[in-house]
Amino acid sequence: MTRIHADISVSLDGFVTGPDPGPENGLGTGGDALHSWAFSDDADDRRVLREGTGRSGAVVLGRRLFDVVDGPGGWDDEVGYGATEVGRPAFVVVTGSPPERVRLADLDWTFVTTGLPDAVAAARRRAEAASAAGGRDLDVVLMGGGATIGSALAAGLVEVLTLHLAPVVLGSGTPLFTGGAPRALVQRSVVPTSTATHLTYDVVRP
């Protein structure tokens, strides 16, 4: 069964970027430390990355994050979604207006202009088609940014939440949680490593 799975790295004080993020500095000042685990040689970090990207039937991201990953300093053959760990899932971008051109034209991009619920629905269709073609269950993965995942949680769209809690305090930046209705979580797994604590929760429907 395809599930909607939000997956993001976060600091101890709740930020998913450092201060002053932008197209040329997507993770903000000091924000690179949030993703040290993804480049770690630790066997548990590698397993978490492999399992996380391996379940991806389609990936949802917001426009600001798209502009970072598709920008000149963004993804390439060495750095990208899962890089060597995963094939090429469909990518669905929530945006007010599609870009005029895409640098990463070899990836499968869909731009949805009618809001996050429609983007998640489009991604679910792609993930279910990939599941049928591959003969195994694949999920929709919401990779960010923080505002996109926060909005999805607030709208009740997320079924599973994975946080990669980095041992860093950034002080400011882009917060993951900015208020909204209380949300109950059921803890499913905790994987501690030297670079992060990987936490997975089922999100209880209101």
Side-chain angles (χ1 to χ4, degrees), residues 66-84:
F66 167 79
D67 286 342
V68 171
V69 303
D70 196 56
W75 289 352
D76 55 29
D77 290 339
E78 299 295 325
V79 178
Y81 186 80
T84 59

Side-chain angles (χ1 to χ4, degrees), residues 100-199:
E100 294 183 2
R101 63 185 63 85
V102 175
R103 178 178 66 86
L104 299 169
D106 56 333
L107 297 181
D108 181 354
W109 297 103
T110 298
F111 298 91
V112 174
T113 60
T114 52
L116 182 56
D118 286 347
V120 171
R124 185 189 287 275
R125 290 192 293 271
R126 298 298 299 273
E128 288 174 344
S131 297
R136 62 190 184 97
D137 288 338
L138 297 171
D139 290 338
V140 172
V141 176
L142 277 67
M143 66 170 285
T148 298
I149 288 181
S151 295
L153 284 165
L157 297 173
V158 176
E159 296 169 284
V160 182
L161 173 65
T162 292
L163 301 177
H164 308 285
L165 187 63
V168 60
V169 175
L170 294 174
S172 63
T174 305
L176 178 58
F177 301 112
T178 57
R183 186 74 60 193
L185 305 175
V186 177
Q187 185 167 286
R188 291 304 183 198
S189 68
V190 179
V191 180
T193 72
S194 62
T195 58
T197 302
H198 307 284
L199 306 161

Side-chain angles (χ1 to χ4, degrees), residues 43-59:
D44 285 327
D45 284 327
R46 301 309 304 172
R47 177 177 58 82
V48 168
L49 180 64
R50 182 173 61 253
E51 291 176 354
T53 54
R55 69 169 176 266
S56 304
V59 178

Side-chain angles (χ1 to χ4, degrees), residues 26-37:
L27 291 173
T29 303
D32 288 346
L34 297 172
H35 295 273
S36 295
W37 71 271

